[in-house]
Amino acid sequence: MYQVYVRSFADANGDGVGDLAGVRDRLPYLRDLGVDALWFSPWYPSPLADWGYDIADYRSIDPAFGTLDEAEQLIAEARALGIRTIVDIVPNHVSDQHPWFRSALASPAGSPERERFWFRPGAAPDGELPPNGWQSIFGGPAWTRTDDAGVPGEWYLHLFAPEQPDLNWTHPDVWAEHEDVLRFWFDRGAAGVRIDSAALLVKDPHLAEETPQYGAGEHPFTDRDGLHDIYRRWRAIADGYPEPRVLVGEVWLPDPDRLARYLRPDELHTAFNFDFLGCPWDASALRTSIDTTLALHEPVKAPATWVLSNHDVDRHVSRYGRDDTSFSLQARNHSQPVDLERGTRRARAAVLLTMALPGSVYVYQGEELGLWEVEDIPAALRQDPIWHRTGGADPGRDGSRVPLPWSGLEPPFGFSPPAARTEPWLPQPKEWRDLTVEIETGDPDSMLELYRAALRIRRAEPGLGDGPMSWLPATSGVLAFERGGGLRCVANLSDGPVDLPAAAAVVLASGPLADGRLPADTAVWLRAAPGGS
Ligand code: TEU
């Protein structure tokens, strides 16, 4: 699955912003890369308070990206190349410019229009304090007070930015609207949806405060049991199509058993594996993460997913080039030195490790080029509300959203056409001249050719598909496992070279071997010789 962040993929009309025409032009690139499906981050009309995750109209396309007609053509053209389309659905909140919220603001306290959201009177005698102490995931209080023609009024809930009011999922309109939106996209050929913030929709009706400890399902706004009824309804809709549609959840939960509940046979098909994404570059930690992942999926018979990067996290070339290679959304740290050469070597090994595992793999646009996190975007050009709302304490996500380099030796590197009027919406590092699609194509040592080769082999080898994996004995710091058809993956995360099994042929390597040994931070796919060990 290839994640397209349209705004940064390719700009066909020269306004510095990627668009659907840019994606359509590059569908052959995506076919040649070898992906099965595209997941589009939100492409709907949006005032961009959260770069598309604040949706004003769920049934249309942002004019900066194109038209609904173009989206339908894109879905059909991709399908003709064997590539399916997954659209991003944001059910937790809408934009403050969505008609529902506008009419709620225009209506008095207690009106039916306000019941689709979480409007509450403030605490304290005059209501000048928020109804409770919940904090926004983007920083600051999760409540904003309305202003009724100059008179301070009720407060409304927003777990993200104030421009993203949370919907009230106890309201039947909210259910009906989202079910209709699902059908709208499924009817237009979307093969499925990625469900944003999927564990946050249901809130404690009493708005209880967060506490340091709480029992399973008792957090006031995360992973509440009522969510599962919503996804069962959605699954019934998805299954109602002759070619059933797929539901992919963005579910960040530390407890694997709780996560597995979303993947029961009548709920979501898959959920992103954020444990693996945040795992440090450490053999035993990765092994534990892989084992935990497979164990949690086994009882519910759902496919595992493997994700190294997305539009919310630091690109993994940079993560793996730091001293601390772990990642957490709560502790994004751009003040650490980054060894890009080492990070790139590890990223190459990581993709062979990942693509050898059973389940589905998500590739975030640009990782196939080896792009790194751009950590030095000037403050005046920063866009992410996380950066703004934390006063820069959290560097935010702009660095993973920089427009892709396609060709040429200078920015915008073919992202925009040569006669473009405007610079790309985020500045590209000049060093990306070495990471363009043009430069990497045909270079056997490039990240792009490694991805192409790995995806080609993964598609051709039944042994790399569904099915078991078994760990092989290995020295400390080395991960070695076998898949079907005698295929093996060996990844060396130790400090020095290790021996490879003698009776095995190398199918693909993330870097050169040294006298037949596997160097540090290198991975290989091997085929065991018949009768070999
Ligand atoms: O991200 C959700 C998000 O920010 C989670 O990381 C959140 O911390 C978690 O659900 C808390 O349990 C999605 C999008 O990927 C992101 O780009 C958006 O900004 C966000 O939702 C709001 O729509």
Side-chain angles (χ1 to χ4, degrees):
M1 291 260 218
Y2 184 92
Q3 181 188 356
V4 182
Y5 195 78
V6 180
R7 177 163 292 274
S8 300
F9 187 75
D11 164 26
N13 68 2
D15 63 357
V17 167
D19 44 43
L20 298 189
V23 181
R24 289 171 70 191
D25 287 348
R26 264 107 174 154
L27 284 174
Y29 167 78
L30 295 165
R31 177 203 51 206
D32 295 346
L33 179 58
V35 300
D36 297 317
L38 305 178
W39 147 34
F40 286 89
S41 279
W43 54 14
Y44 317 102
S46 164
L48 303 182
D50 186 21
W51 299 96
Y53 284 90
D54 49 321
I55 300 174
D57 176 0
Y58 287 69
R59 296 179 184 78
S60 178
I61 297 291
D62 194 297
F65 293 164
T67 62
L68 181 57
D69 197 40
E70 281 180 275
E72 289 184 50
Q73 290 178 49
L74 167 52
I75 292 170
E77 288 162 3
R79 187 61 206 254
L81 298 178
I83 301 173
R84 285 162 210 251
T85 297
I86 308 283
V87 300
D88 209 321
I89 296 290
V90 183
N92 181 67
H93 46 267
V94 297
S95 160
D96 62 351
Q97 300 305 310
H98 188 280
W100 279 9
F101 193 70
R102 291 169 69 114
S103 66
L105 279 187
S107 304
S111 60
E113 287 80 359
R114 289 200 172 188
E115 282 170 15
R116 293 169 176 150
F117 298 91
W118 292 92
F119 282 90
R120 289 289 182 280
D126 295 324
E128 71 263 25
L129 290 178
N132 71 13
W134 293 359
Q135 294 294 299
S136 157
I137 290 159
F138 287 171
W143 297 90
T144 291
R145 196 168 194 186
T146 57
D147 185 331
D148 298 332
V151 182
E154 290 186 311
W155 298 69
Y156 68 88
L157 175 69
H158 52 85
L159 290 182
F160 294 93
E163 298 88 352
Q164 295 167 293
D166 278 54
L167 288 165
N168 171 9
W169 273 91
T170 68
H171 197 300
D173 286 1
V174 173
W175 284 60
E177 170 67 3
H178 279 87
E179 290 172 17
D180 193 63
V181 166
L182 288 182
R183 290 195 189 91
F184 180 91
W185 288 104
F186 292 163
D187 290 347
R188 278 160 185 76
V193 289
R194 175 263 188 192
I195 306 161
D196 187 74
S197 302
L200 301 182
L201 280 46
V202 175
K203 276 81 181 179
D204 173 17
H206 307 294
L207 304 179
E209 295 293 352
E210 283 187 85
T211 50
Q213 302 281 324
Y214 43 85
E218 288 173 4
H219 187 277
F221 56 79
T222 304
D223 187 33
R224 294 183 68 84
D225 290 336
L227 282 159
H228 299 281
D229 293 336
I230 299 171
Y231 297 133
R232 285 193 193 98
R233 284 281 284 271
W234 290 20
R235 179 62 177 257
I237 293 169
D239 285 348
Y241 283 78
E243 190 175 72
R245 307 308 204 237
V246 64
L247 308 175
V248 183
E250 189 212 15
V251 188
W252 295 83
L253 288 180
D255 178 345
D257 294 330
R258 293 296 293 183
L259 177 57
R261 289 159 52 89
Y262 293 78
L263 303 175
R264 289 176 288 195
D266 58 347
E267 298 193 40
L268 309 183
H269 296 81
T270 61
F272 297 121
N273 187 351
F274 293 119
D275 183 71
F276 185 73
L277 186 155
C279 194
W281 185 245
D282 172 88
S284 89
L286 280 164
R287 181 170 171 156
T288 302
S289 179
I290 292 166
D291 282 341
T292 309
T293 301
L294 295 175
L296 91 84
H297 286 81
E298 214 291 316
V300 283
K301 306 288 175 219
T305 64
W306 311 102
V307 189
L308 291 171
S309 279
N310 67 33
H311 66 295
D312 290 331
V313 307
D314 291 357
R315 284 191 177 273
H316 60 273
V317 163
S318 296
R319 298 198 320 257
Y320 291 154
R322 297 172 180 156
D323 280 346
D324 177 359
T325 53
S326 69
F327 180 81
S328 142
L329 288 175
Q330 286 71 37
R332 220 182 254 107
N333 180 355
H334 287 187
S335 64
Q336 312 166 68
V338 181
D339 178 341
L340 286 176
E341 201 246 286
R342 180 202 257 176
T344 302
R345 200 166 56 240
R346 289 176 171 174
R348 294 176 63 89
V351 75
L352 290 202
L353 169 68
T354 304
M355 288 195 191
L357 293 168
S360 49
V361 172
Y362 287 76
V363 174
Y364 174 49
Q365 67 177 38
E367 71 168 78
E368 78 277 21
L369 303 175
L371 301 188
W372 61 80
E373 182 74 12
V374 184
E375 298 185 340
D376 58 356
I377 298 174
L381 298 178
R382 295 245 175 207
Q383 309 281 354
D384 189 359
I386 292 186
W387 190 86
H388 290 285
R389 286 180 62 82
T390 62
D394 185 326
R397 305 162 295 182
D398 293 325
S400 65
R401 300 175 176 181
V402 172
L404 296 192
W406 292 91
S407 59
L409 299 173
E410 307 280 342
F413 299 120
F415 169 70
S416 297
R421 301 180 294 281
T422 329
E423 313 256 293
W425 72 287
L426 285 170
Q428 301 159 303
K430 63 179 183 335
E431 294 83 2
W432 282 9
R433 62 192 289 158
D434 298 328
L435 298 178
T436 64
V437 171
E438 183 179 53
I439 289 270
E440 294 196 26
T441 297
D443 173 356
D445 298 329
S446 71
M447 188 72 89
L448 179 57
E449 294 300 347
L450 180 69
Y451 270 69
R452 284 179 174 159
L455 285 169
R456 192 169 53 240
I457 296 166
R458 188 175 146 92
R459 183 184 294 269
E461 285 290 344
L464 290 177
D466 287 339
M469 65 169 278
S470 40
W471 293 107
L472 299 168
T475 54
S476 166
V478 175
L479 293 171
F481 57 91
E482 184 155 86
R483 299 296 319 278
L487 276 166
R488 293 177 174 187
C489 177
V490 183
N492 180 6
L493 287 79
S494 75
D495 292 334
V498 294
D499 288 332
L500 285 170
V506 174
V507 177
L508 187 62
S510 70
L513 304 189
D515 299 327
R517 304 184 84 205
L518 186 65
D521 293 327
T522 307
V524 274
W525 290 355
L526 303 171
R527 190 185 304 281
S533 62

